């Protein structure tokens, strides 16, 4: 006689799929790589604004920027959506409603988006299904103008009003150049160099690559990563 099929209720798994901070089901689960505890992304990001410690075990996640130690768990998110009927649809409706209430461009996040690579300054509505790569690991960057190296009498390349940005770690130097050109209102023919630690970075280098291979190798470097920009120098 075949053994009776065992059934489980969703609440039997609640310990594994609920957030320690808000008590609800994990939404966009983000795992702390130092201790492997998982929380809703919005919950843990808000917690890290006040503390660098894991709220569950108390371990120090990072001395200066604990957000660097977060990794999204898309597999767990899919499991939770399959276990809890209607949860995906409910969250999609909430997100859609959020963007409907925040249609004005000045209410949108100022982060550089990897899809377009540039801030959403159009002032128009943001489509709910647009991919702004907000699920990517983020990195903070300081963009400094490198002075006294430009063309003679050229004052086009100046400091940005807001030189600190957050962007996807997948953003490339080419995208940063486009961002700078727009912000500084440079002509399309104007060429910029982007440097890290005095070395010109390639157009296809991502922010993650530069951080891992150039920036963090210097013990005296602090966070955020500093990139310098200047008019392209013609050595010919």
């Amino acid at each position: 006689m075949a053994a009776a099929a065992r059934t489980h209720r969703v609440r039997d798994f609640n310990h594994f799929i609920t957030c320690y901070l808000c008590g609800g089901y994990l939404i966009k689960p983000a795992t702390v790589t130092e201790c492997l505890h998982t929380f809703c992304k919005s919950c843990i990001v808000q917690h890290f604004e006040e503390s660098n410690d894991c709220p569950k075990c108390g371990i120090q996640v990072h001395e200066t920027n604990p957000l660097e130690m977060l990794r999204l768990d898309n597999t767990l998110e899919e499991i939770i959506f399959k276990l809890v009927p209607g949860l995906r649809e409910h969250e999609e409706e909430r997100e859609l409603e959020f963007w409907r209430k925040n249609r004005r461009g000045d209410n949108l996040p100022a982060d550089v988006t990897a899809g377009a690579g540039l801030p959403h300054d159009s002032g128009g509505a943001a489509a709910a299904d647009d991919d702004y790569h907000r699920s990517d690991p983020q990195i903070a960057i300081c963009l400094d103008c490198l002075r006294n190296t430009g063309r003679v009498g050229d004052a086009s390349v100046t400091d940005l009003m807001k030189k600190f940005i957050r962007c996807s770690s997948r953003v490339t130097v080419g995208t940063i150049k486009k961002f700078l050109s727009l912000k500084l209102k440079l002509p399309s023919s104007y060429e910029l160099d982007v440097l890290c630690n005095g070395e010109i970075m390639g157009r296809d280098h991502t922010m993650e690559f530069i951080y891992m291979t150039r920036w963090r190798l210097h013990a005296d470097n602090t966070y955020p990563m500093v990139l310098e920009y200047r008019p392209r120098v013609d050595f010919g």
Side-chain angles (χ1 to χ4, degrees):
M1 182 176 179
R6 294 188 61 186
T7 59
H8 296 277
R9 298 179 180 179
V10 173
R11 67 185 183 187
D12 295 335
F13 303 96
N14 276 353
H15 176 73
F16 303 102
I17 61 176
T18 54
C19 176
Y20 176 82
L21 290 170
C22 70
Y25 290 117
L26 289 163
I27 301 300
K28 297 190 183 301
T31 299
V32 180
T33 57
E34 289 295 291
C35 58
L36 300 182
H37 289 135
T38 303
F39 311 89
C40 296
K41 180 182 176 182
S42 60
C43 293
I44 191 62
V45 168
Q46 185 175 2
H47 170 81
F48 281 156
E49 291 179 356
E50 305 294 335
S51 172
N52 292 342
D53 300 337
C54 171
K56 190 169 185 178
C57 67
I59 188 175
Q60 186 182 63
V61 176
H62 193 280
E63 290 183 359
T64 56
N65 187 42
L67 293 177
E68 283 295 302
M69 311 307 291
L70 288 179
R71 295 294 180 269
L72 289 177
D73 192 334
N74 295 322
T75 301
L76 178 58
E77 181 178 48
E78 285 302 313
I79 292 174
I80 294 172
F81 283 152
K82 290 182 183 300
L83 285 173
V84 185
L87 182 61
R88 186 197 300 271
E89 292 76 12
H90 175 67
E91 287 305 315
E92 288 176 350
E93 289 176 3
R94 287 184 59 193
E95 185 172 359
L96 181 58
E97 182 63 23
F98 172 83
W99 289 117
R100 283 172 177 164
K101 291 180 179 179
N102 293 270
R103 294 172 70 92
R104 290 178 54 194
D106 54 1
N107 285 335
L108 295 176
D111 298 353
V112 176
T113 62
L118 304 171
H120 196 285
D121 288 336
S122 64
D129 58 350
D130 282 351
D131 181 8
Y132 291 113
H133 290 260
R134 294 187 181 91
S135 61
D136 289 350
Q138 302 287 296
I139 186 169
I141 302 170
C142 174
L143 295 172
D144 268 346
C145 179
L146 196 57
R147 299 188 179 280
N148 301 321
T149 57
R151 302 162 185 166
V152 177
D154 189 345
S156 298
V157 179
T158 60
D159 287 317
L160 294 170
M161 290 185 62
K162 296 181 180 180
K163 62 181 181 178
F164 293 95
I165 65 172
R166 288 189 65 82
C167 63
S168 163
S169 61
R170 293 166 55 189
V171 163
T172 64
V173 170
T175 296
I176 294 296
K177 289 182 179 181
K178 292 179 182 178
F179 172 73
L180 289 168
S181 294
L182 279 177
K183 287 298 183 181
L184 298 174
K185 299 181 179 179
L186 300 175
S188 58
S189 59
Y190 205 105
E191 293 290 339
L192 292 171
D193 284 329
V194 173
L195 304 88
C196 181
N197 293 328
E199 178 184 354
I200 296 177
M201 296 291 100
R203 187 177 186 85
D204 294 328
H205 286 1
T206 65
M207 298 300 102
E208 181 178 30
F209 175 81
I210 296 173
Y211 180 81
M212 299 295 288
T213 63
R214 301 297 192 277
W215 184 253
R216 76 170 190 169
L217 297 180
H218 293 255
D220 57 338
N221 283 344
T222 57
Y223 196 81
M225 179 170 71
V226 177
L227 296 181
E228 296 173 313
Y229 60 92
R230 70 183 184 194
R232 173 157 293 177
V233 177
D234 185 1
F235 294 102

